[in-house]
Amino acid sequence: MKKTVLALRCIDKWFHDQQVLDHIDFDVNEGEFLTLLGPSGCGKSTLLRLIAGFDVPTSGQILINGKDVSRVPPNHRHVNMVFQNYALFPHMTVFENIAFGLRCQRLPSADIQDRVDRVLQMVKLENLKARKPHQLSGGQQQRVAIARAAVNEPLVLLLDEPMSALDHALRKNMQLELKTLQRRLGLTFVMVTHNQEEALSMSDRVVVMSHGKVEQIGPPRVIYEHPNNLYVAQFIGETNVFETEVLAVDGNNVTVNIEDHQFVFKTRVALELHQKISVLLRPEDLRSWDNSEVDDTKDMISAVVEQVVYKGSIVDLVLRTDKGTKLSATQFFDEDDENLDFRLGEHVWVEWPFGWEIILPHEA
């Protein structure tokens, strides 16, 4: 059974007359990589500061290993935080930066040497321990910051946008490296980011936030493929939305009209006759064919190519249906269609594998 190391219970936070966190309630398991994901101003950084102890909740409890630490100061919480700019001491070497917290605890020198050497080996910086921060790359500085926090053996390691200062190429490399490092260290990570790709590629679970509330919590694949609502679906990746209504209900099957075509879909949610719904399709789920490639267009939607973006292994298309709906479609090069030669203004037929659509009740 998974052990809960961090529990948030009905957390509310107000700044004067403005509520920034509204009834936040979830658990974090030992050894888990959990990411708080949302746009700027959604409350994710405020929540991280509450967990760290830099601020206190207006109401609710923060439990670490079952102990209420809601009003316990940061240095008594057994958590550590890695900041956006890493906050390394520029005049200290890598070794001295990592050893700083242990020396503040007045540990014996032999213990400090052993623990720092051990964590340096884990983050693969043992050959750079005599360097100063300015002599390191951005990725190496990040590893020093994580090692400085990890050497204190915290129950939870908090990361506030830890890769925001890195360039795109280094950021992608560090995503994989950070996840590998987390597994190697065996620590519980709670990370804040507004980068969807980052959250999906690194996390065991993702907490999607909006306006101080939790919209959905789950593994990345569940969040992406089975969003709870339209906000989550549109925030996590790109999606096409058809607004329609239920024409008939037969058990778990519903009949709907999309672009003057009737479709029968299976649904996971209970829907009523004439209920307004949103039918969602990811760009990578759409398939586009020219007139020479199709015989039966009964279950296909007619569209025109408005934009073609070549990206090496894929081609992104912007399509416009006969009813004026704008669609995004991602086409992959494969042995069945090696050319993917689409032209502006070309007429195409659009389809998708039935069952891949996401059906949600309409949101006003």
Side-chain angles (χ1 to χ4, degrees):
M1 185 176 179
K2 294 180 179 178
K3 178 184 177 182
T4 298
V5 66
L6 170 66
L8 305 176
R9 294 289 176 262
C10 303
I11 297 294
D12 290 332
K13 180 61 181 178
W14 291 76
F15 288 116
H16 304 295
D17 61 346
Q18 182 180 7
Q19 187 173 19
V20 294
L21 291 175
D22 184 1
H23 204 77
I24 304 296
D25 197 297
F26 61 84
D27 295 343
V28 183
N29 299 318
E30 186 177 36
E32 183 175 30
F33 197 129
L34 182 130
T35 297
L36 306 177
L37 174 67
S40 298
C42 73
K44 58 187 186 297
S45 292
T46 298
L47 183 56
L48 201 73
R49 288 179 57 82
L50 294 183
I51 298 170
F54 300 141
D55 208 340
V56 297
T58 304
S59 62
Q61 290 182 306
I62 300 172
L63 307 173
I64 296 179
N65 260 5
K67 177 184 176 182
D68 187 354
V69 297
S70 306
R71 282 158 179 77
V72 173
N75 58 319
H76 291 137
R77 290 202 176 193
H78 215 41
V79 302
N80 278 91
M81 191 162 180
V82 176
F83 297 92
Q84 289 184 26
N85 61 359
Y86 310 140
L88 301 177
F89 299 113
H91 61 288
M92 293 184 181
T93 65
V94 168
F95 186 97
E96 292 166 342
N97 263 282
I98 297 172
F100 181 79
L102 301 178
R103 286 174 174 157
C104 289
Q105 300 174 42
R106 300 184 183 279
L107 296 183
S109 296
D111 289 350
I112 293 174
Q113 182 75 43
D114 179 63
R115 285 172 65 170
V116 174
D117 284 345
R118 194 158 14 103
V119 78
L120 277 168
Q121 187 174 15
M122 286 181 176
V123 299
K124 301 187 182 302
L125 289 174
E126 57 266 45
N127 295 329
L128 303 178
K129 62 183 179 180
R131 292 192 182 181
K132 299 286 182 66
H134 73 273
Q135 297 173 305
L136 304 175
S137 69
Q140 290 167 340
Q141 290 179 31
Q142 182 195 63
R143 278 185 277 163
V144 174
I146 292 172
R148 185 176 62 182
V151 77
N152 294 305
E153 299 175 351
L155 290 172
V156 183
L157 184 59
L158 309 175
L159 302 103
D160 185 14
E161 299 272 9
M163 285 170 282
S164 61
L166 306 180
D167 62 53
H168 178 71
L170 182 57
R171 186 169 187 149
K172 290 187 73 70
N173 289 335
M174 286 306 299
Q175 288 174 12
L176 298 176
E177 188 167 331
L178 184 58
K179 179 61 180 176
T180 301
L181 182 59
Q182 184 257 343
R183 288 172 176 162
R184 191 183 305 138
L185 294 171
L187 293 177
T188 303
F189 277 23
V190 177
M191 182 179 76
V192 159
T193 186
H194 63 270
N195 186 295
Q196 297 94 330
E197 180 186 351
E198 203 164 88
L200 293 175
S201 63
M202 298 171 63
S203 313
D204 297 314
R205 285 191 303 154
V206 179
V207 179
V208 184
M209 298 183 63
S210 171
H211 298 99
K213 295 182 179 182
V214 172
E215 297 287 348
Q216 188 171 354
I217 303 176
R221 186 166 184 173
V222 173
I223 294 286
Y224 187 80
E225 296 183 2
H226 305 291
N228 280 350
N229 54 46
L230 193 57
Y231 170 81
V232 175
Q234 293 182 315
F235 185 76
I236 305 294
E238 192 173 0
T239 190
N240 299 293
V241 181
F242 294 104
E243 301 292 354
T244 184
E245 69 174 51
V246 177
L247 301 178
V249 180
D250 181 12
N252 292 330
N253 295 325
V254 294
T255 302
V256 303
N257 184 294
I258 295 178
E259 301 288 318
D260 290 335
H261 286 66
Q262 285 198 1
F263 296 93
V264 178
F265 299 137
K266 286 189 178 296
T267 174
R268 296 170 178 265
V269 296
L271 299 173
E272 299 176 355
L273 188 63
H274 303 309
Q275 182 176 353
K276 294 186 180 302
I277 61 172
S278 300
V279 178
L280 283 57
L281 287 157
R282 298 293 188 183
E284 63 270 19
D285 295 339
L286 297 183
R287 301 290 181 266
S288 302
W289 311 101
D290 65 34
N291 291 317
S292 66
E293 296 176 303
V294 296
D295 296 319
D296 183 4
T297 61
K298 179 173 66 71
D299 292 328
M300 296 184 179
I301 294 173
S302 176
V304 172
V305 178
E306 286 196 344
Q307 190 172 355
V308 180
V309 181
Y310 172 79
K311 292 184 176 180
S313 61
I314 63 173
V315 172
D316 285 341
L317 302 177
V318 176
L319 309 173
R320 184 76 60 178
T321 71
D322 293 350
K323 302 287 287 184
T325 305
K326 182 179 176 181
L327 300 178
S328 296
T330 298
Q331 310 295 293
F332 297 84
F333 286 96
D334 58 36
E335 63 275 8
D336 295 326
D337 195 353
E338 297 179 351
N339 295 321
L340 288 184
D341 186 18
F342 292 96
R343 303 179 307 278
L344 297 182
E346 178 183 5
H347 177 267
V348 295
W349 293 98
V350 180
E351 66 172 349
W352 64 92
F354 283 179
W356 291 18
E357 65 280 336
I358 302 166
I359 301 176
L360 296 172
H362 178 74
E363 298 175 22

